[in-house]
Amino acid sequence: MEKILIKGGKALHGQVEVMGAKNAALGIIPATILAGGYCSIKNVPDISDIRNYISIMEKLGAVVSYSGDRLDIDTTFVDPANAGLIDEEATNMRASYYLLGALLARFGTVRIAFPGGCDIGARPIDFHIEGFQALGATVIGENSDYIEIHADRLIGCNIDFAFASVGATINIMLAAVTAEGETVINNAAREPHVEDIANYLNCCGALITGAGTSQIRITGVKSLHAADYSIVPDQITAGTYMICAAATKGDVTVTRIIPEHLGIIAEKLIQMGCDVLFGDDYVRVIGNRPLKAINLETMPYPGFPTDLQQPMGVLMCLAEGDSIIDENIFENRFRYLEELNKMGAKTRYEGSRAYISGVASLKSDRIHSTDLRAGAAMLIAGLAAEGTTEITDLQHIDRGYDRIVEKLLALGSDIVRINEGQ
Ligand code: UD1
Protein backbone atom coordinates (compact mmCIF):
# COMPACT_ATOMS: atom_id res chain seq x y z
CA MET A 1 0.00 0.00 0.00
CA GLU A 2 1.29 3.44 -0.89
CA LYS A 3 1.29 6.32 1.56
CA ILE A 4 2.48 9.89 1.87
CA LEU A 5 4.52 11.00 4.86
CA ILE A 6 4.69 14.71 5.64
CA LYS A 7 6.80 16.29 8.36
CA GLY A 8 4.68 19.37 8.91
CA GLY A 9 5.34 22.89 10.04
CA LYS A 10 7.47 24.13 7.15
CA ALA A 11 6.28 27.30 5.42
CA LEU A 12 5.90 26.80 1.65
CA HIS A 13 7.79 29.22 -0.59
CA GLY A 14 8.20 29.60 -4.32
CA GLN A 15 6.25 29.11 -7.52
CA VAL A 16 3.95 26.35 -8.64
CA GLU A 17 2.33 25.91 -12.04
CA VAL A 18 -1.25 24.80 -12.34
CA MET A 19 -2.31 21.94 -14.61
CA GLY A 20 -5.14 22.08 -17.16
CA ALA A 21 -8.65 21.85 -15.72
CA LYS A 22 -9.58 18.28 -14.84
CA ASN A 23 -13.30 18.80 -15.22
CA ALA A 24 -12.92 20.60 -18.56
CA ALA A 25 -10.70 17.80 -19.90
CA LEU A 26 -13.22 15.22 -18.68
CA GLY A 27 -15.89 16.95 -20.81
CA ILE A 28 -13.75 17.73 -23.86
CA ILE A 29 -12.44 14.17 -24.26
CA PRO A 30 -15.94 12.68 -24.73
CA ALA A 31 -16.90 15.77 -26.78
CA THR A 32 -14.30 14.69 -29.35
CA ILE A 33 -16.75 11.92 -30.24
CA LEU A 34 -18.90 14.62 -31.82
CA ALA A 35 -15.95 15.92 -33.84
CA GLY A 36 -15.66 12.46 -35.44
CA GLY A 37 -12.07 12.95 -36.57
CA TYR A 38 -8.56 13.78 -35.37
CA CYS A 39 -8.20 16.42 -32.61
CA SER A 40 -5.11 17.50 -30.74
CA ILE A 41 -5.91 18.69 -27.22
CA LYS A 42 -3.24 20.48 -25.18
CA ASN A 43 -2.90 21.16 -21.45
CA VAL A 44 -4.49 17.81 -20.56
CA PRO A 45 -3.58 17.00 -16.91
CA ASP A 46 -1.74 13.77 -16.16
CA ILE A 47 -4.07 12.35 -13.51
CA SER A 48 -5.73 8.97 -13.13
CA ASP A 49 -9.21 10.22 -14.11
CA ILE A 50 -7.78 11.25 -17.49
CA ARG A 51 -5.91 7.93 -17.91
CA ASN A 52 -9.21 6.14 -17.19
CA TYR A 53 -11.06 8.26 -19.72
CA ILE A 54 -8.40 7.52 -22.32
CA SER A 55 -8.95 3.82 -21.66
CA ILE A 56 -12.71 4.34 -22.11
CA MET A 57 -12.18 6.12 -25.42
CA GLU A 58 -9.82 3.44 -26.71
CA LYS A 59 -12.28 0.69 -25.83
CA LEU A 60 -15.00 2.62 -27.64
CA GLY A 61 -12.83 2.59 -30.78
CA ALA A 62 -10.87 5.87 -30.66
CA VAL A 63 -7.17 5.97 -31.52
CA VAL A 64 -5.35 7.87 -28.79
CA SER A 65 -1.82 9.02 -28.11
CA TYR A 66 -1.03 10.90 -24.88
CA SER A 67 2.36 12.41 -24.22
CA GLY A 68 3.40 15.36 -22.05
CA ASP A 69 0.21 17.37 -21.75
CA ARG A 70 -0.94 16.68 -25.31
CA LEU A 71 -3.67 14.26 -26.22
CA ASP A 72 -4.08 13.29 -29.88
CA ILE A 73 -7.36 11.54 -30.43
CA ASP A 74 -9.10 10.25 -33.55
CA THR A 75 -12.74 9.36 -32.91
CA THR A 76 -13.63 8.39 -36.50
CA PHE A 77 -14.22 4.73 -35.60
CA VAL A 78 -15.91 5.11 -32.21
CA ASP A 79 -18.74 2.58 -32.03
CA PRO A 80 -21.48 2.79 -29.36
CA ALA A 81 -21.80 -1.02 -29.52
CA ASN A 82 -18.43 -1.18 -27.70
CA ALA A 83 -19.86 0.51 -24.59
CA GLY A 84 -20.31 -2.91 -22.96
CA LEU A 85 -16.51 -3.02 -22.64
CA ILE A 86 -16.30 0.02 -20.36
CA ASP A 87 -18.58 -0.98 -17.49
CA GLU A 88 -15.84 -0.87 -14.86
CA GLU A 89 -14.39 2.48 -15.91
CA ALA A 90 -17.85 4.07 -16.30
CA THR A 91 -18.89 2.93 -12.83
CA ASN A 92 -15.71 4.29 -11.27
CA MET A 93 -16.06 7.85 -12.47
CA ARG A 94 -18.63 10.60 -12.59
CA ALA A 95 -17.69 12.10 -15.94
CA SER A 96 -18.63 8.92 -17.82
CA TYR A 97 -22.10 10.54 -17.88
CA TYR A 98 -20.90 12.74 -20.77
CA LEU A 99 -20.90 9.65 -22.98
CA LEU A 100 -24.70 9.83 -22.80
CA GLY A 101 -24.89 13.22 -24.51
CA ALA A 102 -21.99 12.63 -26.91
CA LEU A 103 -22.97 9.13 -28.14
CA LEU A 104 -26.66 10.05 -28.30
CA ALA A 105 -25.92 13.09 -30.47
CA ARG A 106 -23.62 11.27 -32.91
CA PHE A 107 -25.25 7.82 -33.11
CA GLY A 108 -28.80 8.25 -31.72
CA THR A 109 -28.21 5.45 -29.22
CA VAL A 110 -26.28 4.86 -26.01
CA ARG A 111 -26.21 2.19 -23.32
CA ILE A 112 -23.61 2.61 -20.55
CA ALA A 113 -23.05 1.47 -16.98
CA PHE A 114 -24.42 3.94 -14.43
CA PRO A 115 -21.84 6.69 -13.64
CA GLY A 116 -20.06 6.59 -10.26
CA GLY A 117 -17.64 9.14 -8.75
CA CYS A 118 -16.67 10.44 -5.32
CA ASP A 119 -18.83 9.17 -2.46
CA ILE A 120 -20.15 12.54 -1.29
CA GLY A 121 -23.86 11.80 -1.13
CA ALA A 122 -26.59 10.89 -3.62
CA ARG A 123 -25.69 12.05 -7.11
CA PRO A 124 -28.74 11.52 -9.30
CA ILE A 125 -28.70 12.34 -13.03
CA ASP A 126 -32.41 13.08 -13.38
CA PHE A 127 -31.78 16.58 -14.83
CA HIS A 128 -29.63 15.03 -17.56
CA ILE A 129 -32.29 12.45 -18.39
CA GLU A 130 -35.16 14.96 -18.36
CA GLY A 131 -33.11 17.20 -20.64
CA PHE A 132 -32.49 14.40 -23.15
CA GLN A 133 -36.19 13.53 -23.05
CA ALA A 134 -37.14 17.17 -23.67
CA LEU A 135 -34.90 17.03 -26.76
CA GLY A 136 -36.94 14.05 -27.98
CA ALA A 137 -34.93 11.07 -26.70
CA THR A 138 -36.52 7.97 -25.18
CA VAL A 139 -35.15 6.20 -22.13
CA ILE A 140 -35.28 2.50 -22.98
CA GLY A 141 -34.05 1.34 -19.60
CA GLU A 142 -32.56 2.83 -16.44
CA ASN A 143 -31.58 1.32 -13.11
CA SER A 144 -28.65 1.55 -10.70
CA ASP A 145 -26.53 -0.61 -13.03
CA TYR A 146 -27.01 0.89 -16.47
CA ILE A 147 -28.86 3.41 -18.58
CA GLU A 148 -29.98 3.12 -22.21
CA ILE A 149 -31.33 5.96 -24.35
CA HIS A 150 -32.35 6.19 -28.00
CA ALA A 151 -33.33 9.05 -30.28
CA ASP A 152 -34.27 8.97 -33.97
CA ARG A 153 -33.85 12.74 -33.99
CA LEU A 154 -33.14 15.39 -31.40
CA ILE A 155 -35.12 18.63 -31.61
CA GLY A 156 -34.14 21.89 -29.90
CA CYS A 157 -36.29 23.05 -26.99
CA ASN A 158 -36.27 25.17 -23.81
CA ILE A 159 -34.83 23.50 -20.71
CA ASP A 160 -35.12 25.03 -17.24
CA PHE A 161 -32.95 23.42 -14.62
CA ALA A 162 -34.26 23.41 -11.04
CA PHE A 163 -30.60 23.63 -9.95
CA ALA A 164 -27.62 24.87 -11.94
CA SER A 165 -26.09 21.41 -12.42
CA VAL A 166 -22.66 21.41 -14.02
CA GLY A 167 -22.91 17.91 -15.44
CA ALA A 168 -26.45 18.35 -16.79
CA THR A 169 -25.62 21.69 -18.43
CA ILE A 170 -22.64 20.18 -20.26
CA ASN A 171 -24.50 17.00 -21.20
CA ILE A 172 -27.38 18.94 -22.72
CA MET A 173 -24.91 21.12 -24.64
CA LEU A 174 -23.33 17.95 -26.05
CA ALA A 175 -26.69 16.50 -27.04
CA ALA A 176 -28.09 19.75 -28.47
CA VAL A 177 -25.21 20.96 -30.69
CA THR A 178 -26.45 18.84 -33.61
CA ALA A 179 -30.17 18.88 -32.72
CA GLU A 180 -32.63 20.48 -35.13
CA GLY A 181 -33.36 24.13 -34.26
CA GLU A 182 -32.53 26.11 -31.15
CA THR A 183 -32.08 24.87 -27.57
CA VAL A 184 -32.14 27.31 -24.67
CA ILE A 185 -30.82 26.20 -21.27
CA ASN A 186 -32.10 28.38 -18.42
CA ASN A 187 -30.44 28.33 -14.99
CA ALA A 188 -27.36 26.85 -16.66
CA ALA A 189 -24.22 26.22 -14.59
CA ARG A 190 -21.64 28.99 -15.09
CA GLU A 191 -18.47 27.17 -13.96
CA PRO A 192 -15.30 27.94 -15.97
CA HIS A 193 -15.22 24.46 -17.44
CA VAL A 194 -18.77 24.79 -18.80
CA GLU A 195 -17.52 27.76 -20.82
CA ASP A 196 -14.35 25.93 -21.83
CA ILE A 197 -16.25 22.94 -23.19
CA ALA A 198 -18.59 25.30 -25.10
CA ASN A 199 -15.52 27.05 -26.55
CA TYR A 200 -14.11 23.72 -27.71
CA LEU A 201 -17.44 22.73 -29.29
CA ASN A 202 -17.59 26.12 -31.06
CA CYS A 203 -14.07 25.51 -32.44
CA CYS A 204 -15.55 22.29 -33.89
CA GLY A 205 -18.32 24.25 -35.64
CA ALA A 206 -21.03 24.35 -32.95
CA LEU A 207 -23.08 27.52 -32.46
CA ILE A 208 -23.25 28.07 -28.70
CA THR A 209 -23.67 31.51 -27.11
CA GLY A 210 -24.00 32.54 -23.48
CA ALA A 211 -21.81 29.81 -21.92
CA GLY A 212 -20.52 31.26 -18.65
CA THR A 213 -23.89 32.97 -18.05
CA SER A 214 -27.05 31.36 -16.72
CA GLN A 215 -28.70 31.26 -20.15
CA ILE A 216 -27.05 29.24 -22.90
CA ARG A 217 -28.37 29.24 -26.47
CA ILE A 218 -27.44 26.46 -28.85
CA THR A 219 -28.33 26.65 -32.53
CA GLY A 220 -28.15 23.13 -33.91
CA VAL A 221 -25.77 22.45 -36.80
CA LYS A 222 -25.73 19.39 -39.09
CA SER A 223 -22.45 18.02 -37.80
CA LEU A 224 -19.21 19.08 -36.09
CA HIS A 225 -15.69 18.82 -37.45
CA ALA A 226 -12.40 18.08 -35.73
CA ALA A 227 -10.44 20.95 -34.14
CA ASP A 228 -7.38 21.44 -31.96
CA TYR A 229 -7.76 23.04 -28.55
CA SER A 230 -5.94 23.99 -25.35
CA ILE A 231 -7.72 23.48 -22.01
CA VAL A 232 -8.06 26.30 -19.43
CA PRO A 233 -6.09 26.13 -16.15
CA ASP A 234 -7.64 24.26 -13.23
CA GLN A 235 -9.45 26.59 -10.84
CA ILE A 236 -9.61 24.02 -8.03
CA THR A 237 -5.94 23.03 -8.17
CA ALA A 238 -4.97 26.70 -8.14
CA GLY A 239 -7.18 27.25 -5.10
CA THR A 240 -5.67 24.22 -3.38
CA TYR A 241 -2.13 25.62 -3.67
CA MET A 242 -3.37 29.02 -2.49
CA ILE A 243 -4.76 27.33 0.62
CA CYS A 244 -1.49 25.39 1.12
CA ALA A 245 0.33 28.74 1.27
CA ALA A 246 -2.13 30.11 3.81
CA ALA A 247 -2.07 26.97 5.99
CA THR A 248 1.73 26.95 6.26
CA LYS A 249 2.14 30.74 6.66
CA GLY A 250 4.08 30.62 3.43
CA ASP A 251 4.56 32.79 0.35
CA VAL A 252 3.55 30.97 -2.82
CA THR A 253 2.99 32.23 -6.34
CA VAL A 254 0.61 30.08 -8.32
CA THR A 255 1.23 30.51 -12.04
CA ARG A 256 -0.66 29.84 -15.29
CA ILE A 257 -4.01 30.78 -13.77
CA ILE A 258 -7.01 32.86 -14.86
CA PRO A 259 -7.47 35.49 -12.10
CA GLU A 260 -11.26 35.91 -12.64
CA HIS A 261 -11.77 32.22 -11.75
CA LEU A 262 -10.21 32.73 -8.32
CA GLY A 263 -12.07 35.84 -7.11
CA ILE A 264 -14.17 34.31 -4.33
CA ILE A 265 -11.28 32.14 -3.14
CA ALA A 266 -9.03 35.19 -2.85
CA GLU A 267 -11.82 37.07 -1.06
CA LYS A 268 -12.12 34.36 1.60
CA LEU A 269 -8.35 34.11 2.13
CA ILE A 270 -8.13 37.90 2.53
CA GLN A 271 -10.98 37.78 5.09
CA MET A 272 -8.94 35.18 6.99
CA GLY A 273 -5.94 37.53 7.09
CA CYS A 274 -3.80 36.52 4.09
CA ASP A 275 -2.37 38.87 1.49
CA VAL A 276 -3.43 37.94 -2.04
CA LEU A 277 -1.85 39.69 -5.02
CA PHE A 278 -2.91 39.04 -8.61
CA GLY A 279 -0.88 39.46 -11.79
CA ASP A 280 -2.03 38.82 -15.37
CA ASP A 281 -1.69 35.05 -15.08
CA TYR A 282 -0.52 34.44 -11.52
CA VAL A 283 -1.61 34.89 -7.94
CA ARG A 284 0.65 35.26 -4.92
CA VAL A 285 -0.62 34.27 -1.48
CA ILE A 286 1.26 35.35 1.63
CA GLY A 287 0.23 34.02 5.01
CA ASN A 288 2.00 36.38 7.36
CA ARG A 289 -0.71 37.07 9.96
CA PRO A 290 -2.66 34.78 12.33
CA LEU A 291 -5.68 33.29 10.54
CA LYS A 292 -9.16 34.54 11.55
CA ALA A 293 -12.36 32.50 11.64
CA ILE A 294 -14.87 33.07 8.83
CA ASN A 295 -18.20 31.71 7.63
CA LEU A 296 -18.40 30.04 4.25
CA GLU A 297 -21.17 28.70 2.08
CA THR A 298 -20.62 26.67 -1.05
CA MET A 299 -22.57 27.81 -4.10
CA PRO A 300 -22.53 27.28 -7.85
CA TYR A 301 -19.98 29.50 -9.67
CA PRO A 302 -19.23 32.37 -9.15
CA GLY A 303 -19.92 31.35 -5.53
CA PHE A 304 -17.43 29.45 -3.39
CA PRO A 305 -16.75 26.04 -5.02
CA THR A 306 -17.77 22.94 -3.10
CA ASP A 307 -14.56 21.32 -4.36
CA LEU A 308 -12.54 23.68 -2.13
CA GLN A 309 -14.79 23.38 0.92
CA GLN A 310 -12.69 20.56 2.38
CA PRO A 311 -9.30 22.30 1.95
CA MET A 312 -10.82 25.46 3.51
CA GLY A 313 -12.07 23.40 6.44
CA VAL A 314 -8.44 22.73 7.38
CA LEU A 315 -7.65 26.46 7.36
CA MET A 316 -10.59 27.08 9.68
CA CYS A 317 -9.15 24.52 12.12
CA LEU A 318 -6.02 26.67 12.26
CA ALA A 319 -7.84 30.02 12.63
CA GLU A 320 -8.60 31.97 15.80
CA GLY A 321 -12.30 31.67 16.67
CA ASP A 322 -15.34 29.76 15.46
CA SER A 323 -16.12 29.19 11.78
CA ILE A 324 -19.23 27.80 10.11
CA ILE A 325 -19.47 26.04 6.75
CA ASP A 326 -22.76 25.58 4.92
CA GLU A 327 -22.35 22.94 2.22
CA ASN A 328 -25.13 23.65 -0.26
CA ILE A 329 -24.11 21.40 -3.18
CA PHE A 330 -23.49 17.88 -1.87
CA GLU A 331 -25.19 16.18 1.06
CA ASN A 332 -22.27 14.22 2.50
CA ARG A 333 -19.06 16.17 2.17
CA PHE A 334 -17.97 16.48 5.82
CA ARG A 335 -16.58 13.02 6.58
CA TYR A 336 -13.04 14.42 6.32
CA LEU A 337 -13.68 16.37 9.55
CA GLU A 338 -13.53 13.09 11.47
CA GLU A 339 -9.95 12.64 10.23
CA LEU A 340 -9.09 16.22 11.27
CA ASN A 341 -10.54 15.58 14.74
CA LYS A 342 -8.04 12.72 15.11
CA MET A 343 -5.37 15.42 14.66
CA GLY A 344 -6.78 17.52 17.49
CA ALA A 345 -9.23 19.64 15.49
CA LYS A 346 -12.48 20.71 17.14
CA THR A 347 -15.19 20.17 14.57
CA ARG A 348 -18.68 18.75 14.37
CA TYR A 349 -21.40 18.72 11.75
CA GLU A 350 -25.14 18.36 11.51
CA GLY A 351 -26.74 17.95 8.11
CA SER A 352 -25.32 20.50 5.72
CA ARG A 353 -23.67 22.68 8.39
CA ALA A 354 -20.25 22.22 10.00
CA TYR A 355 -18.94 24.03 13.08
CA ILE A 356 -15.19 24.45 13.41
CA SER A 357 -13.44 25.96 16.44
CA GLY A 358 -9.83 26.92 15.79
CA VAL A 359 -7.04 25.20 17.74
CA ALA A 360 -3.46 26.35 18.35
CA SER A 361 -2.10 23.55 16.16
CA LEU A 362 -2.92 20.21 14.56
CA LYS A 363 -0.98 17.13 15.68
CA SER A 364 0.26 14.47 13.29
CA ASP A 365 -1.62 11.18 13.02
CA ARG A 366 -2.46 8.39 10.58
CA ILE A 367 -5.23 9.71 8.38
CA HIS A 368 -6.84 8.68 5.12
CA SER A 369 -8.55 10.29 2.14
CA THR A 370 -12.25 9.58 1.87
CA ASP A 371 -12.58 11.22 -1.56
CA LEU A 372 -10.59 13.40 -3.95
CA ARG A 373 -10.87 16.81 -2.27
CA ALA A 374 -10.79 15.27 1.20
CA GLY A 375 -7.42 13.91 0.09
CA ALA A 376 -6.26 17.46 -0.67
CA ALA A 377 -7.50 18.50 2.77
CA MET A 378 -5.45 15.70 4.39
CA LEU A 379 -2.32 16.91 2.58
CA ILE A 380 -2.90 20.48 3.78
CA ALA A 381 -3.48 19.27 7.34
CA GLY A 382 -0.24 17.29 7.16
CA LEU A 383 1.70 20.29 5.84
CA ALA A 384 0.49 22.41 8.78
CA ALA A 385 0.64 19.81 11.58
CA GLU A 386 3.32 19.22 14.18
CA GLY A 387 5.17 15.94 13.63
CA THR A 388 4.95 13.40 10.81
CA THR A 389 1.52 12.74 9.32
CA GLU A 390 0.82 9.55 7.39
CA ILE A 391 -1.81 9.69 4.64
CA THR A 392 -3.28 6.63 2.93
CA ASP A 393 -5.89 5.98 0.21
CA LEU A 394 -3.87 7.99 -2.26
CA GLN A 395 -5.92 6.74 -5.21
CA HIS A 396 -8.38 9.56 -4.47
CA ILE A 397 -5.66 12.25 -4.63
CA ASP A 398 -4.23 10.72 -7.83
CA ARG A 399 -7.58 11.21 -9.54
CA GLY A 400 -7.28 14.99 -9.54
CA TYR A 401 -3.80 16.35 -8.71
CA ASP A 402 -0.85 15.91 -11.06
CA ARG A 403 2.60 15.34 -9.49
CA ILE A 404 1.43 16.90 -6.25
CA VAL A 405 4.15 15.40 -4.05
CA GLU A 406 6.81 16.67 -6.47
CA LYS A 407 5.24 20.13 -6.55
CA LEU A 408 4.93 20.40 -2.76
CA LEU A 409 8.51 19.20 -2.40
CA ALA A 410 9.66 21.94 -4.78
CA LEU A 411 7.82 24.46 -2.57
CA GLY A 412 9.96 23.37 0.40
CA SER A 413 7.76 20.87 2.19
CA ASP A 414 9.19 17.75 3.82
CA ILE A 415 7.09 15.16 1.98
CA VAL A 416 7.67 11.70 0.59
CA ARG A 417 5.54 9.02 -1.06
CA ILE A 418 6.48 5.47 -0.22
CA ASN A 419 5.32 1.92 -0.74
CA GLU A 420 4.60 0.21 2.57
CA GLY A 421 7.30 -2.33 3.22
CA GLN A 422 9.95 -0.18 1.52
C1 UD1 B 1 -19.45 18.49 -11.11
C2 UD1 B 1 -17.96 18.27 -10.93
C3 UD1 B 1 -17.61 18.18 -9.46
C4 UD1 B 1 -18.14 19.39 -8.71
C5 UD1 B 1 -19.60 19.65 -9.01
C6 UD1 B 1 -20.12 20.95 -8.42
C7 UD1 B 1 -17.32 17.08 -12.94
C8 UD1 B 1 -16.93 15.77 -13.56
N1 UD1 B 1 -17.61 17.05 -11.62
O1 UD1 B 1 -20.11 17.36 -10.55
O2 UD1 B 1 -16.21 18.09 -9.33
O3 UD1 B 1 -18.00 19.17 -7.31
O4 UD1 B 1 -19.82 19.70 -10.43
O5 UD1 B 1 -19.37 22.03 -8.86
O6 UD1 B 1 -17.33 18.12 -13.57
N2 UD1 B 1 -28.19 17.07 -9.12
C9 UD1 B 1 -29.42 16.47 -9.18
N3 UD1 B 1 -29.81 15.91 -10.36
C10 UD1 B 1 -29.00 15.91 -11.47
C11 UD1 B 1 -27.74 16.54 -11.39
C12 UD1 B 1 -27.36 17.10 -10.20
O7 UD1 B 1 -30.17 16.44 -8.21
O8 UD1 B 1 -29.41 15.39 -12.51
C13 UD1 B 1 -27.73 17.66 -7.85
C14 UD1 B 1 -26.55 16.88 -7.27
O9 UD1 B 1 -26.97 15.78 -6.49
C15 UD1 B 1 -25.85 17.92 -6.44
C16 UD1 B 1 -26.10 19.20 -7.25
O10 UD1 B 1 -27.20 18.95 -8.10
O11 UD1 B 1 -26.47 18.04 -5.20
C17 UD1 B 1 -24.92 19.66 -8.08
O12 UD1 B 1 -24.49 18.64 -8.92
P1 UD1 B 1 -23.76 18.93 -10.30
O13 UD1 B 1 -23.47 20.38 -10.46
O14 UD1 B 1 -24.49 18.22 -11.37
O15 UD1 B 1 -22.35 18.21 -10.04
P2 UD1 B 1 -21.65 17.09 -10.88
O16 UD1 B 1 -21.85 17.31 -12.34
O17 UD1 B 1 -21.97 15.76 -10.31
Side-chain angles (χ1 to χ4, degrees), residues 23 94 97 122-128 165-167 307 329-330:
N23 287 342
R94 188 79 190 141
Y97 53 25
R123 297 179 80 176
I125 56 166
D126 50 328
F127 302 157
H128 307 232
S165 157
V166 170
D307 285 355
I329 311 294
F330 291 112

Side-chain angles (χ1 to χ4, degrees), residues 47 105 172 304:
I47 51 178
I172 299 308
F304 194 90

Side-chain angles (χ1 to χ4, degrees), residues 1-5 366-367 390-394 416-422:
M1 187 178 58
E2 284 197 299
K3 51 183 153 181
I4 289 175
L5 301 177
R366 288 183 176 173
I367 52 177
E390 186 180 310
I391 304 171
T392 56
D393 292 296
L394 306 184
V416 66
R417 180 172 178 144
I418 58 165
N419 253 327
E420 199 152 54
Q422 251 187 358

Side-chain angles (χ1 to χ4, degrees), residues 160-308:
D160 300 304
F161 286 132
F163 186 88
S165 157
V166 170
T169 301
I170 294 168
N171 235 339
I172 299 308
M173 280 197 317
L174 293 172
V177 281
T178 51
E180 294 165 34
E182 187 180 66
T183 300
V184 180
I185 306 176
N186 292 310
N187 198 21
R190 299 167 59 188
E191 270 68 5
H193 55 288
V194 173
E195 196 176 347
D196 203 41
I197 293 163
N199 288 341
Y200 165 71
L201 291 168
N202 283 342
C203 288
C204 297
L207 293 174
I208 303 172
T209 57
T213 74
S214 43
Q215 187 180 72
I216 298 179
R217 282 178 185 272
I218 304 154
T219 305
V221 294
K222 270 216 150 17
S223 62
L224 300 192
H225 53 76
D228 296 347
Y229 196 70
S230 183
I231 289 171
V232 284
D234 196 282
Q235 178 208 23
I236 304 302
T237 310
T240 303
Y241 287 114
M242 292 167 75
I243 296 169
C244 286
T248 62
K249 300 192 166 33
D251 181 348
V252 173
T253 300
V254 187
T255 62
R256 216 179 176 191
I257 55 122
I258 297 181
E260 303 88 277
H261 294 172
L262 302 172
I264 185 75
I265 300 153
E267 197 181 296
K268 288 293 166 189
L269 291 180
I270 291 166
Q271 266 181 34
M272 292 189 86
C274 299
D275 289 333
V276 181
L277 311 164
F278 279 104
D280 288 346
D281 64 351
Y282 67 85
V283 58
R284 181 175 170 197
V285 177
I286 310 166
N288 51 9
R289 282 183 288 278
L291 292 168
K292 289 182 289 213
I294 56 161
N295 293 339
L296 180 81
E297 60 171 340
T298 62
M299 296 293 280
Y301 188 82
F304 194 90
T306 174
D307 285 355
L308 287 174

